[in-house]
Amino acid sequence: IQVVKTEPVHGASGVSPALTEIKVTFSAPMRQDSYSFVINNEKRFPDHTADPYYLDEYTCVLPVKLEPDTEYSMLLNAGEYWSFVGAADGQPAESYELTFTTGPAQ
């Protein structure tokens, strides 16, 4: 199982600091009660405003509050945290790093 899409896109710059959700879409249906957004110690993890939830069987949403002109980074399934798992077989998704930078305040 792999990450096939993120919003914002990995490596994006100029992301609106008004963005309130980070979305991660996987290549297979995922277990709906399980997720692992992991802090990447070298970079800033976004402040989250609520618990993650699934938009559908493939897409997990992390509600966030972003700051302007800031580089953010998070890991999905890393270290001891491997809770993004497939619904069918419980296999963990491959580890993925999501990094993006916000633009100026609007």
Side-chain angles (χ1 to χ4, degrees):
I1 300 171
Q2 299 174 320
V3 172
V4 295
K5 180 180 176 185
T6 61
E7 295 176 35
V9 173
H10 173 65
S13 59
V15 172
S16 171
L19 182 76
T20 59
E21 295 180 333
I22 293 173
K23 297 178 183 175
V24 180
T25 303
F26 294 90
S27 61
M30 303 300 286
R31 196 161 69 198
Q32 301 292 291
D33 61 351
S34 189
Y35 46 81
S36 289
F37 291 98
V38 182
I39 294 172
N40 181 347
N41 290 328
E42 286 122 39
K43 303 202 175 106
R44 184 161 176 188
F45 190 87
D47 293 333
H48 56 281
T49 58
D51 289 337
Y53 65 93
Y54 279 85
L55 192 60
D56 57 38
E57 60 186 341
Y58 295 91
T59 303
C60 191
V61 177
L62 179 64
V64 294
K65 181 180 186 313
L66 302 177
E67 299 295 328
D69 299 315
T70 303
E71 183 180 12
Y72 290 99
S73 181
M74 67 178 65
L75 301 169
L76 311 173
N77 278 4
E80 60 190 79
Y81 304 102
W82 290 84
S83 296
F84 277 120
V85 295
D89 57 9
Q91 287 296 311
E94 291 180 16
S95 185
Y96 186 87
E97 180 180 7
L98 172 58
T99 301
F100 63 91
T101 304
T102 54
Q106 299 177 351

